[in-house]
Amino acid sequence: MNILQALRGRFDAVLSTMVDETAPLLEMIRPASDTKFGDYQANCAMPLKKKLGRESREIAAEIVEKIDLSDMCEPLEIAGPGFINIKLKDAWIEAQLAAAVTDERIGVPLVAEPKKYILDFSSPNVAKPMHVGHIRSTVIGDSLANTLRFLGHEVITDNHLGDWGTQFGMIIYGFKHFRDNDAYAESPVAELSRLYREVRKIIDFVDGQKALPARKAKLSEMSAELEERKAAPSTGDKGADKKAAKELQKLERQANEASKELTKDQAKLAELAADPEFAKLAAEHADISSAVLNETAKLHAGDEENLALWHEFLPKCREDIQRIYERLNVKFDHELGESFYHDQLAPVVDSFIEQGFAKESEGALCVFLEGFKAPMIIRKKDGAFLYATTDLATIQYRMNEWRPDAILYVVDFRQGDHFEKLFAAAKKWGYTDVELKHVSFGTVMGEDGKPYKTRSGDTVGLEGLLDEAVSRAEKIVRSNDKDGLLSDEQYKDVAQDVGIGGLKYGDLSQNRETDYVFSYDTMLALRGNTATYMQYAYARSQSIFRNGEIDIAALRSSGAKICITSPAERALATKVLRLPEALQEMVADYRPNQLTIYLFEELAKAYSTFFEQCPVLKAETAEQKQSRLLLCDLTARVIQQGLALLGISTVDKM
RNA sequence: GCGGAUGUAGCUCAAUUGGAUAGAGCAUCGGUCUUCGAAACCGAGGGUUGGGGGUUCGAAUCCCUCCAUCCGCACCA
């Protein structure tokens, strides 16, 4: 049972006799901010003061007078300006616990009105190796899918793979010019990946060199302006002078930075140029950028050779990505990539033209949207389509095929503008009765506060990240096992769960909207809000059952009851029963960290206290022992279920 | 320049979306192992929630204004 929902229902019955709109007031019933106020609190009397023109304490008294909660709660108390404090009856809590013990869903009800969700997440480019930037989308999307499903919604997950873009033009170009046949036969994906990097390297070099003169000119322009400003006489106005000085400082900083960047890039280019082999290669492929675009265009136009290569490469690339998903234990219902929508793009554009939503501007076909300065371009002047076009086609397909109530896009916050336009365009196009939501997230930063990169400045590969997390986890697990609990092989398995779990939890416990600093040490820490800590709490419970030789499944069905005999037990019991609320909170704004907050801050903390204060196997009576065993079991099950929804496994020993 | 975000303890982050005394972890200091896993627990110090003004019973949260940082801004995704 969702206790908060139940309480709100009772309050609704009373409040609806006093005001018309009760929903916002019911929102103000929540878990108590401090246990000394009870278990829950209702803050709805204060805002009614103006509306009803009476003192808020008096209003609170009226609510308390009229409400019927005698079965669930102790008599309500009014505090301060009109807070209504709610304390559950121990007997009622015990009845809820008894129900949860024998319930597979540990008391989490299914939603009354299931909705159909499409979840669009992960969406890597299949032609390049997955990198650190894909963690968040993948992990957040997966946890939301799990949770929505568990609550009873219908969820369709769709990995919108980038399998049709310029990256394939690059691979095709590389394959045609630089391939090593033996290496390709040996390990095709590794060779394709090498080709991608090789082409990328040449493009960066060629483009970088081309851009140098302009950058130098810009820099000297900046220096000139700097000199000019420095020489500028005082205006006599103190405020204006101060402002000028500040602008000068800013300009100076910018110039310094630009100069530093330029020197750095120049050094890099010089280093490459110094390699005679590479220099020769670069000279031979001086027009590589346009050549790559040309290969891409040919692919899109149905060129036989390129299409054949694409068909050859694609399954191999997908297999490679699949390996990572297997390690992460993430599955998709569909993986309809960009290529899937290829032949739907022209009709989409035609539809926009026909309905008068799109018009040409500077050669490009644009959708002008109210409230946006720049239009959304759906066809380039060279006739090619863009990702905006694909995204529109995707919405159309999903609506026709699945008729969802909502489509969630778990994508980087930097694409916020794009999605706002996309959603506005979709609405204009007629898709008004679907919730389109950009579930955005911040950047993964390095310890230097800049986007996470390797020392040499490359993006960090996801696979290496997983390896590192697992190997560190193994070290930690080994060094902490003084009693030799585990065999060598078991260490390896546990390290997988702890390492991958730590990585996922580290991400999910962060508020998704802000950037966060990536640190192995923090996410694999034994203390604090980490997967390791939660997994440990679970393992500890299993250890008790082992030591006491308890058949916990039998005990669950034996009819034994949980009895509250101490404050620590009561505190833990009320937290255990809050799982449905925590899931509700998580899903309300698609924030997995709401669940981690509950698991750690509330449940695990209460469990620790209980563990310290209440002997289980050495309890005073047989009844108490059974009761506490069941409470441990219930807590462990909530932890296990909560972690499972986050995509994290538990282990019996660690 | 325009638009969007962010700014909370020394550090990394929370804060149930306007609620009671702003919380955790790390770090620092002090206490707890012959007793179910000390990988743990208990306690202490540490804050003008970037500055200033406003809205109200009540503000980290909403409004205004400065300051700082980050991101996006017409044919990449």
Side-chain angles (χ1 to χ4, degrees):
Chain A
M1 171 188 283
N2 187 322
I3 298 174
L4 200 48
Q5 233 165 50
L7 288 170
R8 284 177 178 161
R10 305 283 181 100
F11 271 85
D12 193 29
V14 175
L15 290 171
S16 58
T17 67
M18 301 167 75
V19 290
D20 295 333
E21 209 196 341
T22 58
L25 297 171
L26 297 174
E27 288 286 306
M28 294 175 191
I29 301 164
R30 48 187 56 162
S33 57
D34 191 311
T35 47
K36 74 183 174 201
F37 301 133
D39 300 314
Y40 292 84
Q41 64 184 54
N43 303 337
C44 51
M46 285 85 80
L48 285 176
K49 185 180 168 182
K50 266 208 182 125
K51 197 170 238 170
L52 300 179
R54 290 154 53 195
E55 281 309 309
S56 47
R57 267 192 87 97
E58 195 184 304
I59 296 165
E62 184 185 336
I63 295 171
V64 169
E65 168 73 29
K66 284 185 177 167
I67 200 162
D68 179 18
L69 276 169
S70 53
D71 56 326
M72 284 176 77
C73 306
E74 303 289 350
L76 305 184
E77 284 173 10
I78 299 167
F83 293 103
I84 301 173
N85 290 332
I86 303 165
K87 191 174 178 197
L88 301 171
K89 277 184 175 165
D90 285 4
W92 190 83
I93 294 174
E94 287 167 352
Q96 302 312 307
L97 293 171
V101 163
T102 53
D103 178 11
E104 271 194 20
R105 299 178 53 83
I106 39 180
V108 180
L110 294 167
V111 286
E113 291 167 23
K115 286 188 185 176
K116 190 189 274 187
Y117 288 89
I118 310 287
L119 255 73
D120 183 321
F121 65 97
S122 199
S123 311
N125 238 300
V126 297
K128 3 180 192 180
M130 282 174 88
H131 57 85
V132 59
H134 294 111
I135 295 182
R136 300 210 81 178
S137 177
T138 307
V139 167
I140 294 170
D142 183 53
S143 70
L144 291 175
N146 294 338
T147 307
L148 288 166
R149 230 173 235 149
F150 183 68
L151 288 173
H153 296 292
E154 186 180 346
V155 175
I156 298 172
T157 56
D158 186 10
N159 193 5
H160 192 68
L161 298 167
D163 60 1
W164 194 244
T166 321
Q167 302 75 24
F168 269 98
M170 289 164 76
I171 294 191
I172 290 171
Y173 185 89
F175 192 80
K176 286 181 178 173
H177 295 91
F178 312 128
R179 79 168 174 275
D180 174 339
N181 279 324
D182 293 341
Y184 183 68
E186 174 87 15
S187 169
V189 176
E191 175 61 5
L192 291 178
S193 175
R194 184 191 71 83
L195 290 172
Y196 171 80
R197 285 196 304 269
E198 187 69 27
V199 172
R200 175 93 260 170
K201 194 168 149 194
I202 299 174
I203 290 179
D204 286 346
F205 178 76
V206 171
D207 288 358
Q209 279 205 319
K210 270 188 204 153
L212 273 183
R215 285 174 69 182
K216 280 182 186 161
K218 180 85 199 286
L219 193 62
S220 59
E221 204 176 287
M222 277 170 99
S223 323
E225 195 184 338
L226 211 58
E227 290 308 316
E228 198 178 309
R229 289 209 189 191
K230 269 185 189 161
S234 161
T235 56
D237 178 348
K238 226 175 173 184
D241 276 354
K242 209 173 167 184
K243 202 174 165 190
K246 205 167 240 173
E247 273 173 15
L248 184 70
Q249 218 176 18
K250 197 171 167 186
L251 199 65
E252 205 157 14
R253 222 174 32 228
Q254 283 175 343
N256 270 337
E257 212 159 286
S259 157
K260 242 164 72 186
E261 284 279 307
L262 185 61
T263 334
K264 205 173 112 193
D265 289 351
Q266 258 178 321
K268 228 188 233 169
L269 291 171
E271 196 185 317
L272 286 171
D275 178 349
E277 223 168 291
F278 182 78
K280 189 168 160 247
L281 210 59
E284 283 167 9
H285 298 271
D287 60 346
I288 189 165
S289 288
S290 54
V292 161
L293 283 181
N294 189 38
E295 297 293 1
T296 314
K298 271 162 71 183
L299 170 67
H300 290 181
D303 174 80
E304 226 169 273
E305 185 188 8
N306 283 9
L307 206 54
L309 286 174
W310 182 81
H311 276 296
E312 186 180 330
F313 298 156
L314 187 63
K316 297 180 164 66
C317 293
R318 290 179 73 141
E319 238 170 73
D320 197 49
I321 281 179
Q322 202 48 46
R323 200 179 60 241
I324 293 198
Y325 287 132
E326 265 160 39
R327 288 188 71 179
L328 288 172
N329 192 23
V330 171
K331 292 186 186 70
F332 296 92
D333 300 317
H334 301 277
E335 291 195 317
L336 303 177
E338 290 169 340
S339 62
F340 177 80
Y341 299 98
H342 184 231
D343 57 2
Q344 300 169 37
L345 301 183
V348 165
V349 170
D350 289 344
S351 163
F352 269 83
I353 295 172
E354 270 164 34
Q355 298 183 61
F357 297 151
K359 63 178 179 191
E360 229 177 82
S361 166
E362 295 174 34
L365 195 69
C366 300
V367 181
F368 287 92
L369 298 156
E370 222 170 290
F372 296 93
K373 231 174 150 186
M376 185 171 78
I377 298 177
I378 56 175
R379 194 180 63 203
K380 298 201 281 183
K381 63 182 165 201
D382 67 4
F385 304 113
L386 295 103
Y387 78 137
T389 330
T390 313
D391 281 351
L392 284 168
T394 306
I395 291 177
Q396 184 181 50
Y397 177 83
R398 287 172 176 166
M399 292 306 290
N400 288 342
E401 191 71 14
W402 296 314
R403 307 205 166 279
D405 299 297
I407 306 177
L408 312 182
Y409 296 82
V410 187
V411 180
D412 193 331
F413 78 101
R414 282 173 296 194
Q415 293 193 38
D417 272 358
H418 164 67
F419 281 110
E420 274 186 46
K421 283 183 194 168
L422 177 68
F423 298 162
K427 205 166 181 183
K428 202 168 180 173
W429 205 21
Y431 296 112
T432 49
D433 56 350
V434 58
E435 179 195 351
L436 298 169
K437 167 91 179 169
H438 177 200
V439 179
S440 73
F441 55 82
T443 311
V444 180
M445 306 294 227
E447 310 225 15
D448 59 358
K450 290 179 184 161
Y452 191 48
K453 297 270 170 71
T454 61
R455 224 168 269 167
S456 58
D458 300 327
T459 49
V460 179
L462 185 47
E463 191 139 44
L465 217 63
L466 299 182
D467 291 340
E468 181 70 18
V470 170
S471 94
R472 284 185 187 229
E474 190 180 333
K475 273 187 204 136
I476 291 170
V477 173
R478 277 182 188 276
S479 70
N480 281 296
D481 180 10
K482 293 151 200 132
D483 308 325
L485 282 171
L486 300 173
S487 70
D488 245 35
E489 199 171 317
Q490 285 173 314
Y491 277 128
K492 300 253 184 249
D493 289 344
V494 169
Q496 287 294 328
D497 291 328
V498 172
I500 306 280
L503 188 76
K504 287 185 174 183
Y505 195 98
D507 203 312
L508 294 170
S509 59
Q510 230 63 36
N511 183 333
R512 64 173 167 78
E513 293 206 298
T514 53
D515 298 342
Y516 81 97
V517 175
F518 184 91
S519 155
Y520 289 109
D521 291 336
T522 309
M523 73 193 187
L524 292 174
L526 306 164
R527 299 151 189 249
N529 191 7
T530 61
T532 322
Y533 180 96
M534 299 306 308
Q535 287 166 323
Y536 175 69
Y538 178 84
R540 227 173 160 189
S541 316
Q542 304 313 306
S543 161
I544 291 180
F545 304 148
R546 270 196 310 274
N547 287 338
E549 295 179 352
I550 308 296
D551 181 347
I552 197 67
L555 186 60
R556 275 179 214 158
S557 52
S558 70
K561 290 273 188 303
I562 297 175
C563 299
I564 293 170
T565 58
S566 71
E569 287 170 293
R570 189 182 189 285
L572 179 57
T574 55
K575 298 305 181 192
V576 164
L577 294 175
R578 283 206 60 232
L579 176 64
E581 296 167 24
L583 297 180
Q584 193 53 50
E585 271 164 27
M586 165 173 168
V587 157
D589 202 22
Y590 313 116
R591 288 179 193 278
N593 72 317
Q594 295 291 353
L595 179 54
T596 65
I597 288 169
Y598 161 75
L599 288 175
F600 175 70
E601 207 89 21
E602 300 195 31
L603 187 66
K605 284 277 170 67
Y607 194 37
S608 288
T609 310
F610 162 82
F611 215 77
E612 287 297 311
Q613 296 181 6
C614 305
V616 178
L617 295 176
K618 291 169 187 164
E620 287 168 29
T621 64
E623 286 74 30
Q624 194 177 51
K625 178 177 164 184
Q626 288 190 329
S627 160
R628 287 179 176 173
L629 280 166
L630 284 173
L631 190 52
C632 282
D633 176 48
L634 208 49
T635 309
R637 286 167 68 200
V638 171
I639 290 173
Q640 185 175 42
Q641 181 66 61
L643 289 180
L645 294 177
L646 298 173
I648 298 168
S649 350
T650 44
V651 290
D652 287 349
K653 289 185 197 172
M654 59 188 284

